[in-house]
Amino acid sequence: MSWKFCVGLLLGLAIGLGCRWLGIPVPAPPVLVGASLVVAMTSGYLLADHFIATRPAHHRHDCGGPSGDTKETRT
Amino acid sequence: MMQLMVGPVLALAIGAGCRLLDIPLPAPPKLQGALLVVAMTVGYLLGDHFLG
């Protein structure tokens, strides 16, 4: 865990405290379950990103380009 | 209790679907950003505890 991330977490805590103290809306769900759902959405996004990165396209040469020609017809 | 189990699964599916369909995610796309959202919520709840 880098020091910048620690500073970010402290800043997030301070923003949440300040929003409650000043009575202004917090830019995050005010309930811990809602914040956990945000983390779950990000985790799903990262899992799908990892899934896509480990499966390269094997049939890219069959796909048409802007003209509709495939690599097979161009060569 | 059932909603607490369905919620995270639905949120995971929404995140995976946004990446697979290449549409914007209604959450930070990095885990550090999502943890900052949690930090803000924890700060808000701490302030609520101290002030209320």
Side-chain angles (χ1 to χ4, degrees), chain A residues 5 12 16 23 27 31 40-41 48 52 54 56 61-63 66-67 70-72:
Chain A
F5 181 59
V31 182
M41 271 195 283
I52 288 175
T54 53
H61 59 278
D62 292 332
C63 298
S67 64
T70 63
K71 189 178 177 183
E72 295 298 322

Side-chain angles (χ1 to χ4, degrees), chain A residues 41 45, chain B residues 14-15 17-19 21-29:
Chain A
M41 271 195 283
Y45 187 87
Chain B
I14 288 172
C18 285
R19 180 63 188 94
L21 299 175
D22 203 16
I23 56 177
L25 181 74

